[in-house]
Amino acid sequence: MPSVILATASYDHTIRFWEAPSGMCYRTIQYADSHINKIEITPDKQYLAAAGNSHVRLFEVATNNGNPVTSFDGHKSNVTAVGFQKEGKWMYTGSEDGTVKVWDLRAPGCQRDYECGAPVNTVVLHPNQAELISADQAGNIRVWDLTANACSRELVPDGEVGIKTLTIASDASLVVAGNNKGRCFVWRLADDDTSRFDPLQKVEAHPNAYILKAQFSPDARYLATASSDHTVKLWSTRKFTLATADLIWL
C-alpha cells in the first residue's frame, strides 16, 4: 500500500485510487448504487467510506475487492458528511434528511441520532473527540455534546443563509464557517468552555458566490477557501488577510 493514499469520487459512480507522484490511476471501484457526495479514509488507512444517496458504504483500501465490506443504512436522503473518530472506533454522518448520526463500526445500526430540522451540509469533529459541530442549509450551526448526548450551543451567524462548510483548527483554537453568500465567519473557541464561540472576524472571502470548502492548514497558520466563483484563496489566520504568493503548505 502506498504511503500516501489519494482517492477521488464522483457523480460518475466511480471511486478512483491514484499514485500521488505520477498521477496514474491504479484502481477503480464501480459504485452503481448512487452518485457519491463525500469520501473519507479511516485513520488506520484500512477502509474508505463513501457517502451516497441515503447510505454509506465501507470499502477495503489495500485489496482489489470492489464490493463493500459494510453498509450503513438509516438516512433518508443524501449523506453529505462523513468522518471518523481519531482511533476509528466510530463514524459520524450528516444528511439532507436533517439529521446527524453516530455509528459504532463494531456494532449494527445507528447509536446516536440528532435532529437539526434542516438539510445538513457539513459536520466536523472537535479535536477533543467529544463534540460534533454541524451546519445546515437554514444557516444554523450546532454543537453536539456526545457526553451529554445533547445540543450544547446553537449559532445563526447570517440569518437563513445556508452554511456549506466548517473547519476547526487542529489545536481547537479557531472555527470557520463559510456560507452561500461568500462570507467566512471566524470564532475563537474558549479554553474553559469548548462550546462557547467568541466572534473574531467576518471575512468577505468570495463576494456574491458560494463558498464550497474551507480548510485550515495542519498548523492553523493558513486557511484555504474554494468557491463557485472559480477561485481558491489562501488566507493568513494572523489577521485573515490574503496570504503572499510564495506560500508553501507542508
Side-chain angles (χ1 to χ4, degrees), residues 177-191:
N179 75 9
N180 289 344
K181 287 191 174 180
R183 300 181 183 120
C184 279
F185 294 85
V186 187
W187 295 271
R188 188 173 300 282
L189 293 182
D191 293 331

Side-chain angles (χ1 to χ4, degrees), residues 44-125:
D44 62 7
K45 300 181 181 180
Q46 296 300 306
Y47 300 98
L48 178 144
N53 191 351
S54 76
H55 54 251
V56 176
R57 306 276 194 257
L58 208 64
F59 294 89
E60 293 173 322
V61 168
T63 72
N64 289 319
N65 179 16
N67 297 315
V69 295
T70 311
S71 179
F72 298 90
D73 301 289
H75 283 295
K76 298 177 181 178
S77 188
N78 275 310
V79 181
T80 52
V82 61
F84 294 95
Q85 180 258 0
K86 66 178 181 180
E87 295 174 354
K89 293 181 179 178
W90 47 267
M91 177 179 74
Y92 59 89
T93 57
S95 169
E96 290 179 353
D97 66 10
T99 65
V100 172
K101 298 181 186 292
V102 177
W103 314 76
D104 188 330
L105 298 185
R106 302 158 297 181
C110 162
Q111 278 67 49
R112 302 282 179 90
D113 192 343
Y114 301 120
E115 180 60 53
C116 298
V120 176
N121 290 329
T122 183
V123 184
V124 294
L125 176 62

Side-chain angles (χ1 to χ4, degrees), residues 224-236:
T225 58
S227 167
S228 62
D229 65 7
H230 306 283
T231 66
V232 175
K233 296 182 180 181
L234 293 167
W235 308 83
S236 169

Side-chain angles (χ1 to χ4, degrees), residues 1 4 6 29 50-51 73 80-81 116 143 153 204 218 223 239:
M1 184 172 65
V4 175
L6 175 61
I29 297 175
D73 301 289
T80 52
C116 298
V143 180
R153 184 76 58 181
E204 297 289 344
L223 174 76
K239 294 184 178 180

